[in-house]
Amino acid sequence: DKIEYEGMIANLGVRWDFFQPRASRPALENKVYGDRSEWIIDHNDVTDASMKTQFSPRLGLALPISPRNELHINYGYFFQMPLFDYLYTNSNLNTTEGFSPLGDPDLKPSRTISYEVSYKQMVSDDMLFDVTFFNKDVSNLVDNNTFMNEQKGAFTSSGYAQFVNLEKVGVYGAELFLKRQVGKFLS
């Protein structure tokens, strides 16, 4: 929804995302432990992938301070499922052909909480200055873990790779922007 008042424009919204993978994966968490000297993929011991869902609120505010400057504030939650390759690759669980990664249909979606504050100022009739500060907290990015058999202190060539979720990463920064319209001597 868009709400307009004198001196403020607000964009409000909520999004509901869901994904049902309708697949299962080997219950590897029950098989890989300790020094990882042994692992067995039991094709009969499987875990069903769960449905992933999230409500994602969004808020955007534009606050005109004067005819020549304004303040913007944006806040929101975002949900993104991993690529299907990460979910369904090697679904027949073939680990005899080297390190072909095992997909995991129960990978969690990437979740981002983002906010930014931006200030725009008309420096002159043909020049605009904009500064933006932003922060994003992202969880559940996808990585690839390799598990190898260890025999007498040396790693052998047998093992497997699996797509896994990372914990959390933070992204923050600032952008400075100066724009001038095409002029007589400068373009």
Side-chain angles (χ1 to χ4, degrees):
D1 193 15
K2 186 173 187 176
I3 302 168
E4 294 186 45
Y5 290 108
E6 189 174 324
M8 182 186 81
I9 300 170
N11 288 303
L12 304 169
V14 65
R15 178 181 166 122
W16 178 49
D17 292 290
F18 69 94
F19 178 74
Q20 175 56 272
R22 298 190 193 279
S24 59
R25 63 175 176 80
L28 296 174
E29 62 274 5
N30 300 331
K31 303 298 177 190
V32 180
Y33 53 88
D35 63 1
R36 296 182 179 169
S37 61
E38 281 189 37
W39 53 267
I40 299 171
I41 297 179
D42 183 352
H43 295 266
N44 297 321
D45 189 11
V46 295
T47 299
D48 289 332
S50 62
M51 183 168 74
K52 312 301 187 280
T53 183
Q54 175 176 303
F55 282 96
S56 303
R58 315 272 172 89
L59 170 67
L61 294 174
L63 305 165
I65 299 169
S66 75
R68 299 184 66 86
N69 58 9
E70 60 187 44
L71 182 67
H72 292 266
I73 300 169
N74 293 308
Y75 178 79
Y77 282 60
F78 302 89
F79 173 103
Q80 182 177 357
M81 282 304 300
L83 296 173
F84 281 1
D85 286 351
Y86 299 154
L87 302 177
Y88 302 113
T89 293
N90 197 1
S91 60
N92 62 354
L93 309 176
N94 182 3
T95 58
T96 61
E97 299 297 322
F99 290 97
S100 177
L102 300 177
D104 184 351
D106 209 22
L107 282 173
K108 297 173 186 168
S110 170
R111 297 177 192 265
T112 303
I113 300 172
S114 173
Y115 61 86
E116 71 178 31
V117 176
S118 175
Y119 175 77
K120 292 182 181 181
Q121 171 74 47
M122 290 295 297
V123 179
S124 65
D125 289 339
D126 61 354
M127 192 175 298
L128 172 71
F129 173 74
D130 183 1
V131 60
T132 302
F133 299 97
F134 61 89
N135 185 29
K136 295 180 182 183
D137 292 321
V138 184
S139 59
N140 301 328
L141 294 173
V142 176
D143 195 9
N144 192 336
N145 250 356
T146 301
F147 300 93
M148 300 178 73
N149 270 342
E150 184 180 352
Q151 295 177 353
K152 297 181 184 172
F155 286 103
T156 65
S157 62
S158 64
Y160 68 94
Q162 182 185 22
F163 293 113
V164 296
N165 287 114
L166 296 175
E167 283 299 313
K168 197 170 193 180
V169 64
V171 180
Y172 55 90
E175 296 176 350
L176 299 172
F177 181 73
L178 184 62
K179 181 178 180 180
R180 186 180 188 282
Q181 291 181 345
V182 175
K184 187 175 181 181
F185 301 106
L186 180 68
S187 63

